[in-house]
Amino acid sequence: MNNTNTQTQEKTDLLVVNNLTKYFPVRTGLLQRVTGQVQAVDNVSFVVKKGETLGMVGESGCGKTTIGRTVMRLVEPTSGEISFEGQNITRMNSRQLKPLRRDMQIIFQDPYASLNPRMPIGESVMEGLQIHNIGRPKDRWEVVINMLKKVGLEEYHARRYPHEFSGGQRQRIGIARALALNPKFIVCDEPVSALDVSIQSQVLNILKDLQNEFGLTYLFIAHNLSVVEHISDRVAVMYLGKMVELTDRDSLYREPLHPYTQALLSAIPVAHPNAKRGRTILKGDVPSPLNPPKGCRFHTRCPIAVEKCGQVEPEFREVRPGHFVACWLAE
């Protein structure tokens, strides 16, 4: 009976994003008139299921971080709908959002910039508990120490300042701070991109262990496809503000359907020195999000594009069970 309940829970939709759009206005001149719109995210829809890790990959500037911050309501969406546990949070005000902040946390890419340099890290981890008025001061301190130990730090570290830690230790502090409120959902915004490879593996293993222990759900944003393969259950591929492919990890890495995904995967280094992999070299630069191409946004660099690709935008559709892709030639 317990196994059945667990399986049902894992299939429950925790975060549902429908037609999410975020444009940033470009202002010029003395009067700061709006002269254009940076189309950072354009009509993106996806679901994150309870207990899973959805990896989100793509080149720099494709809109990954904007999506992560928008679903947290750190950035206001231009249009679209965001639902968390069945509640539409898109138009909630700050007072209505405050109870949900406990359940939705974020781990930032730069842990040093996200920590107050004048505050001991124990106080930084405790800050969320104080804001939400959780427990007595003594109880809060016990939570802080427990969280620090969960991520491999010790009690005496709580009285030290951010500049006294290495990059990997600071990221552990960021993880501890996100966990202190016992959240259900965490946005991991490139949490290992600035770390050495050996430290990356330690942090990833901590994230996986904590997910198993607390039943966490992750939106894991990264540009390193090897890291995403290691930690994700499903993978979404972004290009110039659009989602071009979404499926489970094994299907994506075994048989990618979108030409952009194929090019990304062909760039992953092969571990064995004698093994060879065909490399797809993309020509040209990524177009500007101020003026994206008509039709499929990838057609200007696509090696197999046809005339239709430059005229009509492909629908993001399910071509196989659980495998979504936006490409006219996917079949």
Side-chain angles (χ1 to χ4, degrees), residues 124-162:
S124 291
V125 175
M126 191 189 299
E127 199 171 17
L129 298 172
Q130 294 171 331
I131 291 172
H132 290 276
N133 197 28
I134 299 173
R136 297 174 299 174
K138 182 180 178 181
D139 298 330
R140 293 170 189 166
W141 188 252
E142 290 178 0
V143 171
V144 169
I145 301 306
N146 184 44
M147 287 300 104
L148 290 177
K149 289 182 177 180
K150 289 286 185 186
V151 298
L153 298 174
E154 298 297 334
E155 183 174 351
Y156 65 86
H157 286 129
R159 296 176 177 84
R160 293 186 176 180
Y161 290 84

Side-chain angles (χ1 to χ4, degrees), residues 72-285:
M72 294 286 295
R73 286 287 307 278
L74 299 177
V75 173
E76 292 299 320
T78 302
S79 64
E81 184 177 292
I82 306 162
S83 296
F84 182 77
E85 289 195 312
Q87 299 182 72
N88 186 348
I89 67 170
T90 317
R91 302 304 172 197
M92 284 185 178
N93 58 36
S94 57
R95 180 181 58 82
Q96 294 169 321
L97 275 174
K98 186 175 180 180
L100 290 174
R101 296 291 188 195
R102 292 182 57 178
D103 294 328
M104 304 173 71
Q105 291 291 303
I106 185 169
I107 301 169
F108 293 98
Q109 179 178 358
D110 184 355
Y112 189 61
S114 65
L115 293 172
N116 188 336
R118 297 185 178 89
M119 186 182 290
I121 63 107
E123 292 184 20
S124 291
V125 175
M126 191 189 299
E127 199 171 17
L129 298 172
Q130 294 171 331
I131 291 172
H132 290 276
N133 197 28
I134 299 173
R136 297 174 299 174
K138 182 180 178 181
D139 298 330
R140 293 170 189 166
W141 188 252
E142 290 178 0
V143 171
V144 169
I145 301 306
N146 184 44
M147 287 300 104
L148 290 177
K149 289 182 177 180
K150 289 286 185 186
V151 298
L153 298 174
E154 298 297 334
E155 183 174 351
Y156 65 86
H157 286 129
R159 296 176 177 84
R160 293 186 176 180
Y161 290 84
H163 73 271
E164 300 180 77
F165 295 92
S166 67
Q169 288 175 319
R170 289 177 197 144
Q171 197 59 279
R172 291 169 190 244
I173 295 165
I175 295 171
R177 186 171 60 173
L179 284 173
L181 292 172
N182 193 24
K184 299 175 183 176
F185 174 68
I186 299 179
V187 173
C188 305
D189 185 11
E190 303 202 31
V192 297
S193 63
L195 306 179
D196 294 336
V197 175
S198 59
I199 306 299
Q200 284 185 16
S201 61
Q202 294 176 17
V203 172
L204 290 174
N205 289 334
I206 287 172
L207 289 172
K208 292 191 75 171
D209 292 342
L210 292 171
Q211 183 177 38
N212 293 332
E213 182 175 352
F214 295 105
L216 298 170
T217 303
Y218 293 143
L219 174 61
F220 192 91
I221 297 167
H223 58 261
N224 187 326
L225 286 158
S226 298
V227 168
V228 171
E229 183 180 16
H230 175 72
I231 198 170
S232 300
D233 299 302
R234 293 187 301 138
V235 182
V237 183
M238 295 286 299
Y239 182 80
L240 203 63
K242 289 280 189 180
M243 190 172 288
V244 297
E245 191 161 2
L246 171 64
T247 186
D248 64 274
R249 174 190 59 194
D250 295 336
S251 297
L252 187 91
Y253 283 81
R254 182 179 63 249
E255 191 177 359
L257 298 181
H258 198 281
Y260 177 62
T261 310
Q262 295 167 2
L264 288 180
L265 293 177
S266 74
I268 299 177
V270 182
H272 197 282
N274 294 327
K276 294 183 179 180
R277 174 185 285 154
R279 180 73 192 276
T280 302
I281 306 295
L282 297 179
K283 298 180 180 179
D285 297 324

Side-chain angles (χ1 to χ4, degrees), residues 299 302-311 328-329:
H299 85 269
C302 181
I304 61 170
V306 296
E307 185 178 355
K308 183 179 181 180
C309 299
Q311 297 175 348
W328 292 118
L329 307 176

